[in-house]
Amino acid sequence: MVEDTTKRNRAEGELRLGNEIIAKMQGALYLVRANDGAVVYANPSFEKMFGYDSGEIIGKHVSTLNAPTGKTPEKVFQVIVAELTRCGHWRGEVLARRKDESTFWSSVIVSTFDHPGFGKVWISILQDISALKHAEQTLREQAALLDLAHDAIFAADVKDRITFWNRGAKDMYGWSAEDALGRMAYELLHTRFPSSFEEIKATLQTQGEWEGELEHTTRDGTTITVASRWSVQRDESGAPISFLEINRDITQRKRAEEQLRNLTERLSLATHTASIGIWELDVRTDQVEWDNTTFAIFGIPRTVPLPREEARRHIHPEDVPRVQAASRRAVQRKTQESVQYRIIRPDGSVRYISTAEGPILDEHGNVVRLVGTAVDITERKEMEAQIEASARLSALGMMAGGVAHEINNPLAIIHGAAVDLLRRVRACGSVPLDIALRNGERIVETSNRIARIIKSMRHLAREGSHDKVRPTPVTRILAETLEVCRERFKNYGVNLLLPNLDPALSVSCRQVQIEQVLLNLLQNAFDAVTEQPGERWVRLAAVTQDDAVEFSVTDSGPAIPQQLKSKIMEPFFTTKDVGIGTGLGLTLSRRIVEDHGGKLELREENGHPCFSFRLPLSSHKEPYAA
Amino acid sequence: MRLEEASVLLVDDEPLLLDMLREFFEHLVGRVFCAGDGVQALQILGRQRIDLVITDIRMPEMDGITLLKRIKAGESHTPSLIFITGFADIGARDAYDLGAEALLEKPIEWDDMIEIARRSLAEPWERWEKPVNLTASPVLSRSFGSLSSAFEEHRIAFGRGGFCIGNSEFLEQGPVNIALDFMADEYVLSGQGVIRWLASEENQMGVELTYVADKSRARAIKLMERASSFIPRTTESNYQKLAA
């Protein structure tokens, strides 16, 4: 008995201890009778956790404690029962339901036990893991956010093994998270470091982060350049526990940068080789920046910074207003402008410069800078002047050929009159007074005619571009022009059709230049029709249209073929045989007409080519007389 | 016909020149008529028998070439015709082909004009009987198998006053000594002439005969008298007429 008592005492003592442990333990413990699922015991922690009064839960079915998730509480119960029946215990997470219907995630361990009083029961020990679950959820959300980032983001532990690999990393490198997790990052990605890995590690240690460019090789073998940011996470003691690496693919940018650099180098080489100066004007600071070529063109040593005023000092004083006007236009109208001007080099030589400039706008559309080119066109100018001179000479040559036609008839008259006088004197020793008078008058009258022709020719051979624009009677323009070509038309049987003009009709022009244009058009028309068989005519017209007079020259030749129309006014274009014409006539004519504010146009008149241009009618109120 | 008996029609659109031509010819020829252009000239030709027309080529209304064509087309007597032109190079080939006897250049050499007028009124045997000194001038020397083969092959064509022939020697305009040998015919046309026009692209030239040696003169006249051209414009043109 003693033994029994001792035994029983010991057993009672153990039971009390057990009860006390159960009552005091943090975890919720409850017993469920296996045959009906009713709760038969719940410890105080349970009652506190679930919000029940003492003993209140006893007798209720266990599924009361479970909230519906994807499955119903009954289904959860069946799953657990099945597992318990199979192997005697179950472990899992359950969404628990408090008395007030609120829920929390719990971790549950269930095992079976033969209770002396209740028979077969399930012992459930349950812990509130809602805080953990919440943290997990947050983590998942963060990971999902990280997946949204286009950057490759991955984490590695202190042994450089990858512990996190976002979707951006998968997209960038072609390795999935399964491929990457646990691998050494620098091995997987064949990282090429700008300095050594150890140095980067050291920087991370001391500064907590590192930034730089790395080269990685993706799964398909492509090498990419990334902008990389590394940071370190530490525990409370400050010891590193993981490294986070965020990489952005800058391969395209690098390539673009490279291309831009190449392009800039090439452009620079090209502009240098072509002697094209590049300059920039900062509109806000009025500072000018020139490249070396521009300095070379201006013949001055490199100066930085270069105030605009200083740059302007090298421009020919007469041309400064034009240069400034062009820049002003470019800024105000935000347009591309070009201007030709002269500069004076320090050695006193004058060079011709051609500039094209355009505005650079900020994001608000304000002009912040002007960028332009500068090309020395002195040689070109000289060549143009030579070509023009030779074109004028060639026109003169053609006119000289024309002289023969123009003065042959009058010369024949003078010659005839003189011969007649001589013959009479020789035959009779004297000349009757009336015959002498008549022949004398013929000689004077005809000499005057020749003098007029020569005067017109000299007049027409003048350069004329510096003459003043004056009101000029149209009849005078036509008379002077025709004086030097009328006979030629007659000699070749070309019918020259002329307008009947009001002698008061006047246009504003540089007379000589307009006569040159008309003569050139008449000459072209003449050349065109003399090549043609059949009827030959050239019609010169001057028609008043609104406040202008349209001059036109039409010839009986066939219309100019479409493919020649656009070329016909280009320099050096000619359809004439070698030696006839320089191909500059129409170009110069067009220039003269454009200088007069008009346009030399080619159209068709009843299938015949017609060149025309307009000059403004001159008002008689103008201060200077014609 | 002698110049002193001839009726001469002067045509020029330049009134002063026409005036002077009239004064010049008035006491040299039988009768003088004047016209300012081709139309007036044709009117006069319709009323009067004219032996010689001296006309400008380039005139308004109707030019000299057209006038000549109209004269040729007319049924009445065909006068001799001399052109006066500012430029002998314009239309010379056509003018001679149409039958003009001469082209005078302005300013006019009045004495030459009288000489040319005389010649154009004269018969061929008179025209071609006097040689001039041409020792310094080039020689146009050509051999042909026969007259007929030369015609068939278009190597020469005769007009009333000269011939058209290929210019293989690149001769210039001006006086030239002539020796044309037609072997099968045992005929050598020798004499003197003046190259009146050159058509360099076609390599042809027009030669006026000014003298034909006595022994070849009669045959030359026979050979050439039927032609309507004074100098044909190509070696091909006259052949057909001769053949017909």
Side-chain angles (χ1 to χ4, degrees), chain A residues 10 19 39 53 62 117 127 153 191 195-196 241 273 308 353 358 373 399 403 420 471 480 493 521 595 606 623:
Chain A
R10 196 186 296 145
N19 281 346
V39 176
D53 294 335
V62 68
Q127 271 186 317
I153 301 172
T191 312
S195 50
S196 73
I241 48 170
T273 312
R308 195 182 186 179
I353 306 296
T373 56
M399 279 187 355
V403 171
D420 187 45
E480 294 224 4
L521 295 180
D595 283 348
N606 302 321

PDB file of all heavy atoms in Angstrom, chain A residues 10 19 39 53 62 117 127 153 191 195-196 241 273 308 353 358 373 399 403 420 471 480 493 521 595 606 623:
ATOM      1  N   ARG A  10       3.181  10.133  -6.196  1.00  0.00           N
ATOM      2  CA  ARG A  10       4.065  10.612  -7.282  1.00  0.00           C
ATOM      3  C   ARG A  10       3.240  10.949  -8.531  1.00  0.00           C
ATOM      4  O   ARG A  10       3.407  11.985  -9.171  1.00  0.00           O
ATOM      5  CB  ARG A  10       5.131   9.538  -7.603  1.00  0.00           C
ATOM      6  CG  ARG A  10       6.278  10.130  -8.420  1.00  0.00           C
ATOM      7  CD  ARG A  10       7.248   9.034  -8.856  1.00  0.00           C
ATOM      8  NE  ARG A  10       7.908   8.407  -7.716  1.00  0.00           N
ATOM      9  CZ  ARG A  10       8.222   7.102  -7.697  1.00  0.00           C
ATOM     10  NH1 ARG A  10       7.947   6.346  -8.719  1.00  0.00           N
ATOM     11  NH2 ARG A  10       8.826   6.588  -6.635  1.00  0.00           N
ATOM     12  N   ASN A  19      -0.866  19.683 -15.145  1.00  0.00           N
ATOM     13  CA  ASN A  19      -1.983  20.625 -15.240  1.00  0.00           C
ATOM     14  C   ASN A  19      -1.508  22.072 -15.164  1.00  0.00           C
ATOM     15  O   ASN A  19      -1.974  22.949 -15.870  1.00  0.00           O
ATOM     16  CB  ASN A  19      -2.986  20.344 -14.126  1.00  0.00           C
ATOM     17  CG  ASN A  19      -3.865  19.126 -14.483  1.00  0.00           C
ATOM     18  OD1 ASN A  19      -3.870  18.722 -15.637  1.00  0.00           O
ATOM     19  ND2 ASN A  19      -4.556  18.578 -13.501  1.00  0.00           N
ATOM     20  N   VAL A  39     -15.098  19.675 -28.202  1.00  0.00           N
ATOM     21  CA  VAL A  39     -13.997  20.130 -27.368  1.00  0.00           C
ATOM     22  C   VAL A  39     -14.302  19.664 -25.947  1.00  0.00           C
ATOM     23  O   VAL A  39     -15.385  19.922 -25.416  1.00  0.00           O
ATOM     24  CB  VAL A  39     -13.864  21.665 -27.408  1.00  0.00           C
ATOM     25  CG1 VAL A  39     -12.770  22.131 -26.456  1.00  0.00           C
ATOM     26  CG2 VAL A  39     -13.579  22.123 -28.830  1.00  0.00           C
ATOM     27  N   ASP A  53     -15.167  32.594 -22.347  1.00  0.00           N
ATOM     28  CA  ASP A  53     -15.137  32.521 -20.874  1.00  0.00           C
ATOM     29  C   ASP A  53     -14.737  31.113 -20.470  1.00  0.00           C
ATOM     30  O   ASP A  53     -14.793  30.193 -21.291  1.00  0.00           O
ATOM     31  CB  ASP A  53     -16.529  32.851 -20.294  1.00  0.00           C
ATOM     32  CG  ASP A  53     -16.907  34.293 -20.555  1.00  0.00           C
ATOM     33  OD1 ASP A  53     -15.954  35.129 -20.723  1.00  0.00           O
ATOM     34  OD2 ASP A  53     -18.125  34.586 -20.680  1.00  0.00           O
ATOM     35  N   VAL A  62     -15.328  21.112 -32.799  1.00  0.00           N
ATOM     36  CA  VAL A  62     -14.021  21.740 -33.040  1.00  0.00           C
ATOM     37  C   VAL A  62     -14.041  22.668 -34.256  1.00  0.00           C
ATOM     38  O   VAL A  62     -13.301  23.652 -34.342  1.00  0.00           O
ATOM     39  CB  VAL A  62     -12.927  20.671 -33.144  1.00  0.00           C
ATOM     40  CG1 VAL A  62     -13.120  19.835 -34.400  1.00  0.00           C
ATOM     41  CG2 VAL A  62     -11.536  21.297 -33.156  1.00  0.00           C
ATOM     42  N   GLY A 117     -10.280   9.696 -18.998  1.00  0.00           N
ATOM     43  CA  GLY A 117     -11.664  10.085 -18.755  1.00  0.00           C
ATOM     44  C   GLY A 117     -12.490  10.169 -20.025  1.00  0.00           C
ATOM     45  O   GLY A 117     -13.584   9.645 -20.102  1.00  0.00           O
ATOM     46  N   GLN A 127      -0.596  27.986 -31.974  1.00  0.00           N
ATOM     47  CA  GLN A 127       0.116  29.252 -31.734  1.00  0.00           C
ATOM     48  C   GLN A 127      -0.371  30.311 -32.724  1.00  0.00           C
ATOM     49  O   GLN A 127      -0.620  30.016 -33.902  1.00  0.00           O
ATOM     50  CB  GLN A 127       1.628  29.066 -31.918  1.00  0.00           C
ATOM     51  CG  GLN A 127       2.312  28.648 -30.631  1.00  0.00           C
ATOM     52  CD  GLN A 127       3.805  28.604 -30.790  1.00  0.00           C
ATOM     53  OE1 GLN A 127       4.264  28.100 -31.807  1.00  0.00           O
ATOM     54  NE2 GLN A 127       4.534  29.105 -29.817  1.00  0.00           N
ATOM     55  N   ILE A 153      17.111  42.838 -59.805  1.00  0.00           N
ATOM     56  CA  ILE A 153      17.380  42.999 -58.374  1.00  0.00           C
ATOM     57  C   ILE A 153      17.625  41.615 -57.804  1.00  0.00           C
ATOM     58  O   ILE A 153      16.821  40.686 -58.015  1.00  0.00           O
ATOM     59  CB  ILE A 153      16.193  43.656 -57.661  1.00  0.00           C
ATOM     60  CG1 ILE A 153      15.915  45.029 -58.297  1.00  0.00           C
ATOM     61  CG2 ILE A 153      16.473  43.802 -56.169  1.00  0.00           C
ATOM     62  CD1 ILE A 153      14.654  45.675 -57.799  1.00  0.00           C
ATOM     63  N   THR A 191      30.759  38.099 -64.085  1.00  0.00           N
ATOM     64  CA  THR A 191      30.914  39.533 -63.866  1.00  0.00           C
ATOM     65  C   THR A 191      32.346  39.984 -64.142  1.00  0.00           C
ATOM     66  O   THR A 191      33.303  39.344 -63.704  1.00  0.00           O
ATOM     67  CB  THR A 191      30.553  39.877 -62.418  1.00  0.00           C
ATOM     68  OG1 THR A 191      29.312  39.260 -62.110  1.00  0.00           O
ATOM     69  CG2 THR A 191      30.467  41.378 -62.219  1.00  0.00           C
ATOM     70  N   SER A 195      37.175  47.354 -60.985  1.00  0.00           N
ATOM     71  CA  SER A 195      38.339  47.105 -60.129  1.00  0.00           C
ATOM     72  C   SER A 195      38.147  45.677 -59.600  1.00  0.00           C
ATOM     73  O   SER A 195      37.329  44.941 -60.115  1.00  0.00           O
ATOM     74  CB  SER A 195      38.374  48.130 -59.000  1.00  0.00           C
ATOM     75  OG  SER A 195      37.110  48.190 -58.370  1.00  0.00           O
ATOM     76  N   SER A 196      38.861  45.317 -58.580  1.00  0.00           N
ATOM     77  CA  SER A 196      38.722  43.935 -58.121  1.00  0.00           C
ATOM     78  C   SER A 196      37.471  43.798 -57.254  1.00  0.00           C
ATOM     79  O   SER A 196      36.972  44.762 -56.686  1.00  0.00           O
ATOM     80  CB  SER A 196      39.962  43.537 -57.336  1.00  0.00           C
ATOM     81  OG  SER A 196      39.944  44.185 -56.090  1.00  0.00           O
ATOM     82  N   ILE A 241      24.739  40.701 -43.304  1.00  0.00           N
ATOM     83  CA  ILE A 241      24.024  39.443 -43.469  1.00  0.00           C
ATOM     84  C   ILE A 241      23.635  39.199 -44.925  1.00  0.00           C
ATOM     85  O   ILE A 241      23.518  38.066 -45.362  1.00  0.00           O
ATOM     86  CB  ILE A 241      22.765  39.367 -42.589  1.00  0.00           C
ATOM     87  CG1 ILE A 241      21.938  40.656 -42.718  1.00  0.00           C
ATOM     88  CG2 ILE A 241      23.134  39.132 -41.135  1.00  0.00           C
ATOM     89  CD1 ILE A 241      20.580  40.539 -42.059  1.00  0.00           C
ATOM     90  N   THR A 273      38.149  69.049 -91.776  1.00  0.00           N
ATOM     91  CA  THR A 273      38.706  68.791 -93.102  1.00  0.00           C
ATOM     92  C   THR A 273      38.074  69.715 -94.134  1.00  0.00           C
ATOM     93  O   THR A 273      38.732  70.220 -95.026  1.00  0.00           O
ATOM     94  CB  THR A 273      38.450  67.321 -93.507  1.00  0.00           C
ATOM     95  OG1 THR A 273      38.827  66.506 -92.415  1.00  0.00           O
ATOM     96  CG2 THR A 273      39.250  66.949 -94.728  1.00  0.00           C
ATOM     97  N   ARG A 308      30.717  88.175 -77.183  1.00  0.00           N
ATOM     98  CA  ARG A 308      30.166  88.397 -78.519  1.00  0.00           C
ATOM     99  C   ARG A 308      30.756  89.668 -79.139  1.00  0.00           C
ATOM    100  O   ARG A 308      31.037  89.705 -80.334  1.00  0.00           O
ATOM    101  CB  ARG A 308      28.650  88.524 -78.374  1.00  0.00           C
ATOM    102  CG  ARG A 308      27.903  88.391 -79.661  1.00  0.00           C
ATOM    103  CD  ARG A 308      26.434  88.594 -79.370  1.00  0.00           C
ATOM    104  NE  ARG A 308      25.605  88.356 -80.510  1.00  0.00           N
ATOM    105  CZ  ARG A 308      24.280  88.461 -80.472  1.00  0.00           C
ATOM    106  NH1 ARG A 308      23.682  88.752 -79.331  1.00  0.00           N
ATOM    107  NH2 ARG A 308      23.564  88.260 -81.542  1.00  0.00           N
ATOM    108  N   ILE A 353      32.734  85.256 -95.714  1.00  0.00           N
ATOM    109  CA  ILE A 353      32.282  84.155 -94.872  1.00  0.00           C
ATOM    110  C   ILE A 353      30.802  83.913 -95.148  1.00  0.00           C
ATOM    111  O   ILE A 353      30.031  84.848 -95.324  1.00  0.00           O
ATOM    112  CB  ILE A 353      32.446  84.502 -93.372  1.00  0.00           C
ATOM    113  CG1 ILE A 353      33.885  84.928 -93.071  1.00  0.00           C
ATOM    114  CG2 ILE A 353      32.026  83.330 -92.476  1.00  0.00           C
ATOM    115  CD1 ILE A 353      34.927  83.861 -93.293  1.00  0.00           C
ATOM    116  N   GLY A 358      21.062  78.410 -86.504  1.00  0.00           N
ATOM    117  CA  GLY A 358      19.727  78.013 -86.084  1.00  0.00           C
ATOM    118  C   GLY A 358      19.646  77.997 -84.575  1.00  0.00           C
ATOM    119  O   GLY A 358      20.661  77.888 -83.897  1.00  0.00           O
ATOM    120  N   THR A 373      27.366  77.553 -88.479  1.00  0.00           N
ATOM    121  CA  THR A 373      28.585  77.179 -89.172  1.00  0.00           C
ATOM    122  C   THR A 373      29.181  78.429 -89.780  1.00  0.00           C
ATOM    123  O   THR A 373      28.489  79.418 -89.973  1.00  0.00           O
ATOM    124  CB  THR A 373      28.286  76.187 -90.314  1.00  0.00           C
ATOM    125  OG1 THR A 373      27.323  76.793 -91.170  1.00  0.00           O
ATOM    126  CG2 THR A 373      27.760  74.883 -89.788  1.00  0.00           C
ATOM    127  N   MET A 399      27.543  89.604-128.707  1.00  0.00           N
ATOM    128  CA  MET A 399      27.070  90.889-129.199  1.00  0.00           C
ATOM    129  C   MET A 399      27.997  91.417-130.281  1.00  0.00           C
ATOM    130  O   MET A 399      27.549  91.996-131.265  1.00  0.00           O
ATOM    131  CB  MET A 399      26.969  91.888-128.052  1.00  0.00           C
ATOM    132  CG  MET A 399      25.689  91.669-127.302  1.00  0.00           C
ATOM    133  SD  MET A 399      25.264  92.838-126.033  1.00  0.00           S
ATOM    134  CE  MET A 399      26.571  93.917-125.893  1.00  0.00           C
ATOM    135  N   VAL A 403      27.192  92.788-133.812  1.00  0.00           N
ATOM    136  CA  VAL A 403      27.517  94.117-134.345  1.00  0.00           C
ATOM    137  C   VAL A 403      27.576  94.077-135.862  1.00  0.00           C
ATOM    138  O   VAL A 403      27.040  94.949-136.540  1.00  0.00           O
ATOM    139  CB  VAL A 403      28.875  94.610-133.796  1.00  0.00           C
ATOM    140  CG1 VAL A 403      29.292  95.880-134.515  1.00  0.00           C
ATOM    141  CG2 VAL A 403      28.778  94.862-132.324  1.00  0.00           C
ATOM    142  N   ASP A 420      30.168 107.076-154.213  1.00  0.00           N
ATOM    143  CA  ASP A 420      29.474 107.868-155.218  1.00  0.00           C
ATOM    144  C   ASP A 420      30.126 109.248-155.379  1.00  0.00           C
ATOM    145  O   ASP A 420      30.384 109.713-156.496  1.00  0.00           O
ATOM    146  CB  ASP A 420      28.006 108.005-154.819  1.00  0.00           C
ATOM    147  CG  ASP A 420      27.188 108.675-155.917  1.00  0.00           C
ATOM    148  OD1 ASP A 420      27.374 108.289-157.096  1.00  0.00           O
ATOM    149  OD2 ASP A 420      26.384 109.574-155.601  1.00  0.00           O
ATOM    150  N   PRO A 471      12.750 104.783-112.085  1.00  0.00           N
ATOM    151  CA  PRO A 471      11.635 104.598-113.027  1.00  0.00           C
ATOM    152  C   PRO A 471      12.171 104.747-114.450  1.00  0.00           C
ATOM    153  O   PRO A 471      12.868 105.708-114.748  1.00  0.00           O
ATOM    154  CB  PRO A 471      10.685 105.755-112.686  1.00  0.00           C
ATOM    155  CG  PRO A 471      11.175 106.314-111.390  1.00  0.00           C
ATOM    156  CD  PRO A 471      12.625 106.009-111.308  1.00  0.00           C
ATOM    157  N   GLU A 480      16.441 100.366-126.704  1.00  0.00           N
ATOM    158  CA  GLU A 480      17.893 100.170-126.565  1.00  0.00           C
ATOM    159  C   GLU A 480      18.282  98.714-126.761  1.00  0.00           C
ATOM    160  O   GLU A 480      19.329  98.400-127.299  1.00  0.00           O
ATOM    161  CB  GLU A 480      18.350 100.666-125.185  1.00  0.00           C
ATOM    162  CG  GLU A 480      18.178 102.163-125.042  1.00  0.00           C
ATOM    163  CD  GLU A 480      19.383 102.822-124.386  1.00  0.00           C
ATOM    164  OE1 GLU A 480      20.358 102.099-124.125  1.00  0.00           O
ATOM    165  OE2 GLU A 480      19.335 104.032-124.142  1.00  0.00           O
ATOM    166  N   GLY A 493      15.974  85.947-140.973  1.00  0.00           N
ATOM    167  CA  GLY A 493      14.587  85.683-141.328  1.00  0.00           C
ATOM    168  C   GLY A 493      13.727  85.320-140.136  1.00  0.00           C
ATOM    169  O   GLY A 493      12.770  84.569-140.268  1.00  0.00           O
ATOM    170  N   LEU A 521      17.338  86.798-123.177  1.00  0.00           N
ATOM    171  CA  LEU A 521      16.157  86.006-123.526  1.00  0.00           C
ATOM    172  C   LEU A 521      15.937  86.027-125.033  1.00  0.00           C
ATOM    173  O   LEU A 521      15.594  85.009-125.639  1.00  0.00           O
ATOM    174  CB  LEU A 521      14.917  86.537-122.793  1.00  0.00           C
ATOM    175  CG  LEU A 521      14.944  86.411-121.263  1.00  0.00           C
ATOM    176  CD1 LEU A 521      13.651  86.975-120.672  1.00  0.00           C
ATOM    177  CD2 LEU A 521      15.119  84.961-120.841  1.00  0.00           C
ATOM    178  N   ASP A 595      17.141  89.944-108.024  1.00  0.00           N
ATOM    179  CA  ASP A 595      17.626  91.160-107.357  1.00  0.00           C
ATOM    180  C   ASP A 595      16.602  92.287-107.464  1.00  0.00           C
ATOM    181  O   ASP A 595      16.563  93.182-106.624  1.00  0.00           O
ATOM    182  CB  ASP A 595      18.948  91.631-107.982  1.00  0.00           C
ATOM    183  CG  ASP A 595      20.113  90.781-107.508  1.00  0.00           C
ATOM    184  OD1 ASP A 595      19.909  90.003-106.547  1.00  0.00           O
ATOM    185  OD2 ASP A 595      21.199  90.881-108.090  1.00  0.00           O
ATOM    186  N   ASN A 606       0.543  78.469-125.897  1.00  0.00           N
ATOM    187  CA  ASN A 606       0.084  77.732-127.083  1.00  0.00           C
ATOM    188  C   ASN A 606       1.159  76.769-127.589  1.00  0.00           C
ATOM    189  O   ASN A 606       1.420  76.683-128.784  1.00  0.00           O
ATOM    190  CB  ASN A 606      -0.303  78.692-128.212  1.00  0.00           C
ATOM    191  CG  ASN A 606      -1.399  79.651-127.771  1.00  0.00           C
ATOM    192  OD1 ASN A 606      -2.308  79.257-127.052  1.00  0.00           O
ATOM    193  ND2 ASN A 606      -1.268  80.898-128.170  1.00  0.00           N
ATOM    194  N   PRO A 623      10.250 110.642-106.102  1.00  0.00           N
ATOM    195  CA  PRO A 623      10.985 111.908-106.079  1.00  0.00           C
ATOM    196  C   PRO A 623      11.969 112.069-107.237  1.00  0.00           C
ATOM    197  O   PRO A 623      12.109 113.163-107.760  1.00  0.00           O
ATOM    198  CB  PRO A 623      11.713 111.874-104.736  1.00  0.00           C
ATOM    199  CG  PRO A 623      11.717 110.425-104.328  1.00  0.00           C
ATOM    200  CD  PRO A 623      10.487 109.841-104.908  1.00  0.00           C
TER     201      PRO A 623
END
